[in-house]
Amino acid sequence: MKHNDHDPLEVGCICAGHMEGDLNAAESRDRELRARANRRSNWLSLLGWKVSKKENDYLRTRPNMTDDETHFIIITQSQFRGYSAIIDGSYLKLWYDNKNRAKLAAFDYLWPSKMSFS
């Protein structure tokens, strides 16, 4: 938690709710953060990931509770730079040393965390 008159303070969900005077809002943020973390941890093992004829991993997502769009993701490999993602036809323009990091970057691009920890 942050306050202009005090140093930042790290507290749990219940304490944060009491300190800000809105326990429901704190619990809602906690549920959202945990749900996103669970979705992200399951992202790599989704059964929908397939391998193309060019040996690129790809996935067509389905609409879900956090996004009502369908997305098409392709993980590509460069001869020199490593792995990147094409999301709905646009390159991510970032390179990673393995496929899984590129897949997680695609997840983070599509569903960025709404939490600020700075």
Side-chain angles (χ1 to χ4, degrees):
M1 296 190 75
K2 287 184 178 182
H3 189 279
N4 291 338
D5 298 334
H6 302 283
D7 291 332
L9 181 64
E10 292 184 26
V11 296
C13 169
I14 303 300
C15 291
H18 288 299
M19 291 171 73
E20 73 177 303
D22 191 348
L23 188 56
N24 289 334
E27 288 174 339
S28 177
R29 284 191 307 271
D30 186 63
R31 272 192 309 277
E32 183 179 320
L33 184 62
R34 289 176 190 269
R36 182 185 181 280
N38 285 334
R39 285 191 313 274
R40 191 175 190 272
S41 69
N42 293 328
W43 179 249
L44 299 177
S45 60
L46 285 177
L47 297 176
W49 285 106
K50 296 182 174 32
V51 180
S52 73
K53 290 178 184 176
K54 293 183 178 182
E55 299 192 14
N56 293 322
D57 288 11
Y58 69 95
L59 173 73
R60 183 178 304 280
T61 67
R62 299 181 306 206
N64 57 48
M65 294 173 63
T66 61
D67 188 356
D68 57 0
E69 299 287 326
T70 298
H71 302 285
F72 190 68
I73 300 138
I74 304 169
I75 304 301
T76 62
Q77 182 178 13
S78 165
Q79 185 176 0
F80 304 106
R81 293 187 180 170
Y83 296 87
S84 189
I86 301 171
I87 302 169
D88 299 330
S90 298
Y91 277 92
L92 201 55
K93 297 182 183 173
L94 297 171
W95 295 92
Y96 300 89
D97 61 352
N98 65 56
K99 277 187 212 182
N100 288 342
R101 288 192 178 154
K103 288 178 181 181
L104 290 172
F107 180 92
D108 293 338
Y109 176 83
L110 289 169
W111 301 289
S113 176
K114 296 175 185 165
M115 304 296 164
S116 172
F117 298 103
S118 56

